[in-house]
Amino acid sequence: MKYRRMPIEIEAPEGFGYENIDCNLSESSFTDQKLNDLGISLENLILLYGDHKGKPELREVLASDIGFTIEDVLITSGAATALFIVATSLLDKDDHLVVAKSNYATNIETPRAIGANISFLNLTFENNFDLDLAELERLITPQTKLVSLTYPHNPTGVMITKEKLKAVIQIIEEKQTYLLLDETYREMCFVEKLPVAATLSDRVISISSMSKSFGLPGIRIGWIVSKNQQLMETFLAAKEQICITNSVIDEEIAFQYLKRKQELFAPNMATIQKNFGILKHFMENQQVLEWVEPKGGCVCFPRIKKDIVVDTNRFHEILLNTYATYIGRGHWFEEDARYMRIGYSWDKSEKLEKGLQNILKAIEAARIEG
């Protein structure tokens, strides 16, 4: 493994210092939650080694929601660890995979660290970041071990239909490879939710977590779901060699939350929809940014229009140092500097409105006169 730090982590707001940021539009999750506000109690919790597969009651809650058994669910230390487990279990040096791009950096960087050969399924602004089935089929070769997709998509927030997902899975099955679907934003949909993809085929691996929709990134709980028991045994072996088991404190918090998911998540979704309305109104009433409107999640990926001549480095410098507003830079996703990821449901609604106006001010200040 050849590790290198990812720009998205080097430039993460927690490293810069939250106290130095007035409007934080860089976050890709719902507002961080307080334990007391959730009514979760940890009294009398025994601090033992937990079940290696994860707390059985937690796995049961997740499994029963999709008609699976607890043997089809493996609890991990966040979705990032789940992604790492899948990549290192299925890929060796020089193995081939297909990855949608743009994407969350770990979905690309971990295969690179392994030394795998990557073909990118490019999702372009000009095509509304839509997935091209013919291109996907063309990129898969007899040597392809894995296809990696994310829906709702990070950083764009776009979705695919259930019919297109089934068409993807049909290709996966015909080509005898595996599909990894990162579903960490699944709960946050403005259109009909996709089914958990692993329920549609034993060649699909679904991954999700407590971090994004539920605003609980601090407990580091994610999960892998698959009907393929041979794969699940391999993933368990990987987990045991990485961390043996999860924190029983984290698992207990996740369990208590998910038992009351409908009650606790409803206010989150109401806030996400409110903030999306603020964002959409902003985008419709300005002239310098363009976007593909999201259908889910809590992030979008607009870009500065091509006819706006701007020094992008100066734009980010002014936005941060003059207006104390933080956004995700395009290079976090290996994209052009005119792109930016805006997270619209972590900071307060009034900070979102202020931050969006600050983006316009910073673009204006960084314009290059012709």
Side-chain angles (χ1 to χ4, degrees), residues 258-318:
L258 290 176
K259 280 198 305 181
R260 300 164 54 216
K261 183 177 77 170
Q262 299 306 319
E263 168 197 348
L264 294 174
F265 178 64
N268 296 19
M269 194 62 197
T271 299
I272 291 164
Q273 290 174 321
K274 172 188 173 183
N275 289 350
F276 177 69
I278 293 171
L279 176 68
K280 185 173 180 179
H281 177 79
F282 165 79
M283 289 298 299
E284 291 173 346
N285 289 276
Q286 53 78 46
Q287 304 300 321
V288 298
L289 297 173
E290 56 186 354
W291 72 341
V292 176
E293 185 177 316
K295 300 298 182 186
C298 58
V299 293
C300 63
F301 203 49
R303 69 182 182 187
I304 301 170
K305 291 182 178 179
K306 291 184 177 180
D307 61 348
I308 306 294
V309 184
V310 64
D311 182 333
T312 52
N313 286 331
R314 182 159 166 72
F315 158 65
H316 284 285
E317 178 185 341
I318 292 169

Side-chain angles (χ1 to χ4, degrees), residues 11 101-102 122-129 153 155-156 288-292 300-306 310 312-313 315-316 319 327-342 359 363:
E11 300 172 9
K101 184 173 179 291
S102 303
N122 289 307
L123 309 178
T124 66
F125 186 99
E126 290 70 23
N127 194 36
N128 294 315
F129 299 117
H153 185 250
T156 68
V288 298
L289 297 173
E290 56 186 354
W291 72 341
V292 176
C300 63
F301 203 49
R303 69 182 182 187
I304 301 170
K305 291 182 178 179
K306 291 184 177 180
V310 64
T312 52
N313 286 331
F315 158 65
H316 284 285
L319 185 62
I327 58 175
R329 295 193 180 204
H331 73 250
W332 287 9
F333 307 95
E334 302 185 12
E335 295 294 346
D336 185 275
R338 301 176 79 85
Y339 285 92
M340 64 194 78
R341 187 183 71 182
I342 296 175
I359 290 172
I363 290 173

Side-chain angles (χ1 to χ4, degrees), residues 231-250:
L231 282 183
M232 292 298 280
E233 186 71 10
T234 300
F235 297 155
L236 175 59
K239 177 187 174 181
E240 288 173 329
Q241 292 178 47
I242 294 167
C243 60
I244 306 175
T245 185
N246 301 105
S247 159
V248 294
I249 296 172
D250 294 356

Side-chain angles (χ1 to χ4, degrees), residues 67-309:
F68 270 23
T69 73
I70 64 171
E71 297 307 313
D72 303 319
V73 180
L74 177 68
I75 307 299
T76 61
S77 299
T81 300
L83 295 172
F84 184 86
I85 286 172
V86 172
T88 53
S89 296
L90 295 183
L91 299 172
D92 288 319
K93 187 177 185 297
D94 297 326
D95 280 343
H96 181 252
L97 77 153
V98 177
V99 183
K101 184 173 179 291
S102 303
N103 211 316
Y104 175 57
T106 296
N107 283 316
I108 297 172
E109 201 57 45
T110 300
R112 276 193 184 134
I114 294 168
N117 296 318
I118 304 175
S119 292
F120 290 116
L121 178 65
N122 289 307
L123 309 178
T124 66
F125 186 99
E126 290 70 23
N127 194 36
N128 294 315
F129 299 117
D130 195 19
L131 185 155
D132 186 327
L133 288 170
E135 178 66 2
L136 172 63
E137 190 163 14
R138 185 189 70 80
L139 290 173
I140 298 174
T141 74
Q143 288 73 46
T144 303
K145 298 289 186 69
L146 185 66
V147 173
S148 176
L149 304 177
T150 303
Y151 286 106
H153 185 250
N154 179 13
T156 68
V158 301
M159 279 283 285
I160 56 173
T161 63
K162 182 178 179 180
E163 290 69 31
K164 180 164 273 192
L165 174 59
K166 288 183 175 180
V168 169
I169 293 173
Q170 183 177 349
I171 293 171
I172 294 297
E173 292 179 334
E174 289 173 353
K175 299 288 188 177
Q176 292 291 287
T177 187
Y178 290 103
L179 173 64
L180 166 65
L181 194 63
D182 183 340
E183 301 174 348
T184 53
Y185 292 90
R186 179 174 173 268
E187 297 292 336
M188 296 184 280
C189 281
F190 311 138
V191 295
E192 184 180 1
K193 281 196 303 187
L194 291 173
V196 171
T199 63
L200 303 178
S201 171
D202 64 1
R203 286 199 162 269
V204 180
I205 304 151
S206 291
I207 284 176
S208 193
S209 83
M210 299 297 298
S211 299
K212 304 301 185 182
S213 298
F214 307 125
L216 298 174
I219 66 171
R220 308 312 304 142
I221 290 292
W223 51 90
I224 301 172
V225 178
S226 176
K227 291 194 286 189
N228 188 315
Q229 289 306 304
Q230 183 176 352
L231 282 183
M232 292 298 280
E233 186 71 10
T234 300
F235 297 155
L236 175 59
K239 177 187 174 181
E240 288 173 329
Q241 292 178 47
I242 294 167
C243 60
I244 306 175
T245 185
N246 301 105
S247 159
V248 294
I249 296 172
D250 294 356
E251 290 189 335
E252 180 64 23
I253 294 171
F255 170 59
Q256 291 193 35
Y257 185 102
L258 290 176
K259 280 198 305 181
R260 300 164 54 216
K261 183 177 77 170
Q262 299 306 319
E263 168 197 348
L264 294 174
F265 178 64
N268 296 19
M269 194 62 197
T271 299
I272 291 164
Q273 290 174 321
K274 172 188 173 183
N275 289 350
F276 177 69
I278 293 171
L279 176 68
K280 185 173 180 179
H281 177 79
F282 165 79
M283 289 298 299
E284 291 173 346
N285 289 276
Q286 53 78 46
Q287 304 300 321
V288 298
L289 297 173
E290 56 186 354
W291 72 341
V292 176
E293 185 177 316
K295 300 298 182 186
C298 58
V299 293
C300 63
F301 203 49
R303 69 182 182 187
I304 301 170
K305 291 182 178 179
K306 291 184 177 180
D307 61 348
I308 306 294
V309 184

